[in-house]
PDB file of all heavy atoms in Angstrom:
ATOM      1  N   HIS A  48     -28.891 -38.755  75.884  1.00 87.00           N
ATOM      2  CA  HIS A  48     -27.458 -39.000  75.973  1.00 87.00           C
ATOM      3  C   HIS A  48     -26.762 -38.640  74.654  1.00 87.00           C
ATOM      4  O   HIS A  48     -27.401 -38.580  73.591  1.00 87.00           O
ATOM      5  CB  HIS A  48     -27.202 -40.476  76.317  1.00 87.00           C
ATOM      6  CG  HIS A  48     -27.859 -41.418  75.353  1.00 87.00           C
ATOM      7  ND1 HIS A  48     -29.193 -41.777  75.483  1.00 87.00           N
ATOM      8  CD2 HIS A  48     -27.391 -42.064  74.268  1.00 87.00           C
ATOM      9  CE1 HIS A  48     -29.512 -42.608  74.510  1.00 87.00           C
ATOM     10  NE2 HIS A  48     -28.437 -42.795  73.755  1.00 87.00           N
ATOM     11  N   LEU A  91     -27.679 -34.722  89.191  1.00 92.00           N
ATOM     12  CA  LEU A  91     -27.463 -33.722  88.136  1.00 92.00           C
ATOM     13  C   LEU A  91     -27.448 -32.318  88.720  1.00 92.00           C
ATOM     14  O   LEU A  91     -26.649 -31.463  88.317  1.00 92.00           O
ATOM     15  CB  LEU A  91     -28.553 -33.836  87.062  1.00 92.00           C
ATOM     16  CG  LEU A  91     -28.514 -35.096  86.187  1.00 92.00           C
ATOM     17  CD1 LEU A  91     -29.699 -35.110  85.220  1.00 92.00           C
ATOM     18  CD2 LEU A  91     -27.213 -35.157  85.387  1.00 92.00           C
ATOM     19  N   GLN A 240     -35.328 -52.188  78.246  1.00 87.00           N
ATOM     20  CA  GLN A 240     -34.215 -52.217  77.284  1.00 87.00           C
ATOM     21  C   GLN A 240     -34.215 -50.913  76.470  1.00 87.00           C
ATOM     22  O   GLN A 240     -35.250 -50.499  75.944  1.00 87.00           O
ATOM     23  CB  GLN A 240     -34.346 -53.428  76.362  1.00 87.00           C
ATOM     24  CG  GLN A 240     -33.150 -53.599  75.440  1.00 87.00           C
ATOM     25  CD  GLN A 240     -33.240 -54.861  74.593  1.00 87.00           C
ATOM     26  OE1 GLN A 240     -34.151 -55.692  74.807  1.00 87.00           O
ATOM     27  NE2 GLN A 240     -32.320 -55.038  73.689  1.00 87.00           N
ATOM     28  N   GLN A 284     -31.074 -24.940  64.710  1.00 93.00           N
ATOM     29  CA  GLN A 284     -30.743 -23.654  64.087  1.00 93.00           C
ATOM     30  C   GLN A 284     -31.714 -22.562  64.532  1.00 93.00           C
ATOM     31  O   GLN A 284     -31.298 -21.442  64.840  1.00 93.00           O
ATOM     32  CB  GLN A 284     -30.782 -23.788  62.559  1.00 93.00           C
ATOM     33  CG  GLN A 284     -29.537 -24.422  61.963  1.00 93.00           C
ATOM     34  CD  GLN A 284     -29.513 -24.274  60.458  1.00 93.00           C
ATOM     35  OE1 GLN A 284     -30.544 -24.367  59.796  1.00 93.00           O
ATOM     36  NE2 GLN A 284     -28.328 -24.066  59.908  1.00 93.00           N
ATOM     37  N   SER A 300     -38.772 -12.071  76.441  1.00 86.00           N
ATOM     38  CA  SER A 300     -40.230 -11.903  76.460  1.00 86.00           C
ATOM     39  C   SER A 300     -40.734 -11.205  75.202  1.00 86.00           C
ATOM     40  O   SER A 300     -41.924 -11.304  74.876  1.00 86.00           O
ATOM     41  CB  SER A 300     -40.647 -11.114  77.703  1.00 86.00           C
ATOM     42  OG  SER A 300     -40.020  -9.827  77.702  1.00 86.00           O
ATOM     43  N   ARG A 374      -5.956 -11.133  15.054  1.00 89.00           N
ATOM     44  CA  ARG A 374      -4.516 -10.882  15.074  1.00 89.00           C
ATOM     45  C   ARG A 374      -3.899 -11.150  13.709  1.00 89.00           C
ATOM     46  O   ARG A 374      -3.022 -10.406  13.267  1.00 89.00           O
ATOM     47  CB  ARG A 374      -3.876 -11.777  16.126  1.00 89.00           C
ATOM     48  CG  ARG A 374      -2.376 -11.595  16.255  1.00 89.00           C
ATOM     49  CD  ARG A 374      -1.820 -12.472  17.357  1.00 89.00           C
ATOM     50  NE  ARG A 374      -0.369 -12.351  17.442  1.00 89.00           N
ATOM     51  CZ  ARG A 374       0.370 -13.010  18.304  1.00 89.00           C
ATOM     52  NH1 ARG A 374      -0.198 -13.818  19.170  1.00 89.00           N
ATOM     53  NH2 ARG A 374       1.691 -12.848  18.326  1.00 89.00           N
ATOM     54  N   ILE A 450      12.928  -4.290 -19.908  1.00 72.00           N
ATOM     55  CA  ILE A 450      13.120  -2.881 -19.557  1.00 72.00           C
ATOM     56  C   ILE A 450      13.341  -2.108 -20.853  1.00 72.00           C
ATOM     57  O   ILE A 450      14.228  -2.458 -21.648  1.00 72.00           O
ATOM     58  CB  ILE A 450      14.318  -2.693 -18.608  1.00 72.00           C
ATOM     59  CG1 ILE A 450      14.103  -3.496 -17.316  1.00 72.00           C
ATOM     60  CG2 ILE A 450      14.512  -1.222 -18.278  1.00 72.00           C
ATOM     61  CD1 ILE A 450      15.281  -3.460 -16.392  1.00 72.00           C
ATOM     62  N   ASN A 452      13.244   1.952 -22.857  1.00 77.00           N
ATOM     63  CA  ASN A 452      13.071   3.397 -22.791  1.00 77.00           C
ATOM     64  C   ASN A 452      11.708   3.749 -23.361  1.00 77.00           C
ATOM     65  O   ASN A 452      11.139   3.019 -24.181  1.00 77.00           O
ATOM     66  CB  ASN A 452      14.174   4.111 -23.568  1.00 77.00           C
ATOM     67  CG  ASN A 452      15.538   3.923 -22.906  1.00 77.00           C
ATOM     68  OD1 ASN A 452      15.619   3.856 -21.686  1.00 77.00           O
ATOM     69  ND2 ASN A 452      16.589   3.819 -23.709  1.00 77.00           N
ATOM     70  N   PHE A 511       3.343   5.501 -13.758  1.00 82.00           N
ATOM     71  CA  PHE A 511       2.197   4.698 -14.174  1.00 82.00           C
ATOM     72  C   PHE A 511       2.465   3.217 -13.918  1.00 82.00           C
ATOM     73  O   PHE A 511       3.603   2.746 -13.916  1.00 82.00           O
ATOM     74  CB  PHE A 511       1.866   4.940 -15.656  1.00 82.00           C
ATOM     75  CG  PHE A 511       2.988   4.654 -16.600  1.00 82.00           C
ATOM     76  CD1 PHE A 511       3.155   3.393 -17.169  1.00 82.00           C
ATOM     77  CD2 PHE A 511       3.889   5.653 -16.937  1.00 82.00           C
ATOM     78  CE1 PHE A 511       4.190   3.143 -18.038  1.00 82.00           C
ATOM     79  CE2 PHE A 511       4.935   5.396 -17.810  1.00 82.00           C
ATOM     80  CZ  PHE A 511       5.091   4.142 -18.366  1.00 82.00           C
ATOM     81  N   LYS A 518      -7.814  -6.985 -12.542  1.00 74.00           N
ATOM     82  CA  LYS A 518      -8.011  -6.457 -11.191  1.00 74.00           C
ATOM     83  C   LYS A 518      -7.687  -4.972 -11.162  1.00 74.00           C
ATOM     84  O   LYS A 518      -6.625  -4.543 -11.630  1.00 74.00           O
ATOM     85  CB  LYS A 518      -7.123  -7.210 -10.208  1.00 74.00           C
ATOM     86  CG  LYS A 518      -7.306  -6.783  -8.773  1.00 74.00           C
ATOM     87  CD  LYS A 518      -6.480  -7.642  -7.841  1.00 74.00           C
ATOM     88  CE  LYS A 518      -4.995  -7.395  -8.050  1.00 74.00           C
ATOM     89  NZ  LYS A 518      -4.175  -8.121  -7.066  1.00 74.00           N
ATOM     90  N   LYS A 529       0.853   7.258  -4.767  1.00 83.00           N
ATOM     91  CA  LYS A 529       0.841   8.731  -4.778  1.00 83.00           C
ATOM     92  C   LYS A 529       1.936   9.280  -3.860  1.00 83.00           C
ATOM     93  O   LYS A 529       2.593  10.284  -4.187  1.00 83.00           O
ATOM     94  CB  LYS A 529      -0.524   9.245  -4.340  1.00 83.00           C
ATOM     95  CG  LYS A 529      -0.791  10.685  -4.790  1.00 83.00           C
ATOM     96  CD  LYS A 529      -2.233  11.048  -4.659  1.00 83.00           C
ATOM     97  CE  LYS A 529      -2.523  12.407  -5.293  1.00 83.00           C
ATOM     98  NZ  LYS A 529      -1.510  13.408  -5.090  1.00 83.00           N
ATOM     99  N   SER A 602      88.062  70.274   0.110  1.00 54.00           N
ATOM    100  CA  SER A 602      87.704  71.669   0.424  1.00 54.00           C
ATOM    101  C   SER A 602      86.199  71.841   0.611  1.00 54.00           C
ATOM    102  O   SER A 602      85.743  72.860   1.094  1.00 54.00           O
ATOM    103  CB  SER A 602      88.186  72.612  -0.703  1.00 54.00           C
ATOM    104  OG  SER A 602      87.558  72.244  -1.920  1.00 54.00           O
ATOM    105  N   THR A 699      59.810  28.491  17.934  1.00 88.00           N
ATOM    106  CA  THR A 699      61.275  28.530  17.855  1.00 88.00           C
ATOM    107  C   THR A 699      61.809  27.526  16.850  1.00 88.00           C
ATOM    108  O   THR A 699      62.955  27.627  16.425  1.00 88.00           O
ATOM    109  CB  THR A 699      61.874  28.230  19.225  1.00 88.00           C
ATOM    110  OG1 THR A 699      61.427  26.950  19.678  1.00 88.00           O
ATOM    111  CG2 THR A 699      61.459  29.291  20.237  1.00 88.00           C
ATOM    112  N   HIS A 711      50.515  12.312  -6.276  1.00 86.00           N
ATOM    113  CA  HIS A 711      50.216  13.374  -5.323  1.00 86.00           C
ATOM    114  C   HIS A 711      51.478  14.096  -4.880  1.00 86.00           C
ATOM    115  O   HIS A 711      52.586  13.549  -4.942  1.00 86.00           O
ATOM    116  CB  HIS A 711      49.520  12.816  -4.072  1.00 86.00           C
ATOM    117  CG  HIS A 711      48.131  12.327  -4.322  1.00 86.00           C
ATOM    118  ND1 HIS A 711      47.880  11.053  -4.765  1.00 86.00           N
ATOM    119  CD2 HIS A 711      46.923  12.955  -4.206  1.00 86.00           C
ATOM    120  CE1 HIS A 711      46.577  10.892  -4.903  1.00 86.00           C
ATOM    121  NE2 HIS A 711      45.970  12.033  -4.569  1.00 86.00           N
ATOM    122  N   GLN A 715      53.919  19.201   4.340  1.00 93.00           N
ATOM    123  CA  GLN A 715      53.574  19.255   5.759  1.00 93.00           C
ATOM    124  C   GLN A 715      54.452  20.286   6.440  1.00 93.00           C
ATOM    125  O   GLN A 715      55.677  20.240   6.330  1.00 93.00           O
ATOM    126  CB  GLN A 715      53.747  17.885   6.406  1.00 93.00           C
ATOM    127  CG  GLN A 715      53.423  17.876   7.899  1.00 93.00           C
ATOM    128  CD  GLN A 715      53.450  16.493   8.487  1.00 93.00           C
ATOM    129  OE1 GLN A 715      52.785  15.596   7.987  1.00 93.00           O
ATOM    130  NE2 GLN A 715      54.237  16.315   9.529  1.00 93.00           N
ATOM    131  N   LEU A 740      43.874  30.896   5.625  1.00 79.00           N
ATOM    132  CA  LEU A 740      43.494  29.484   5.612  1.00 79.00           C
ATOM    133  C   LEU A 740      42.472  29.204   4.518  1.00 79.00           C
ATOM    134  O   LEU A 740      42.535  28.180   3.829  1.00 79.00           O
ATOM    135  CB  LEU A 740      42.929  29.085   6.975  1.00 79.00           C
ATOM    136  CG  LEU A 740      43.902  29.172   8.162  1.00 79.00           C
ATOM    137  CD1 LEU A 740      43.186  28.804   9.442  1.00 79.00           C
ATOM    138  CD2 LEU A 740      45.102  28.260   7.941  1.00 79.00           C
TER     139      LEU A 740
END
Side-chain angles (χ1 to χ4, degrees):
H48 55 277
L91 291 177
Q240 186 176 352
Q284 280 191 322
S300 59
R374 181 178 177 181
I450 301 175
N452 293 326
F511 58 91
K518 183 175 68 174
K529 201 166 188 321
S602 61
T699 58
H711 291 86
Q715 179 174 306
L740 296 178

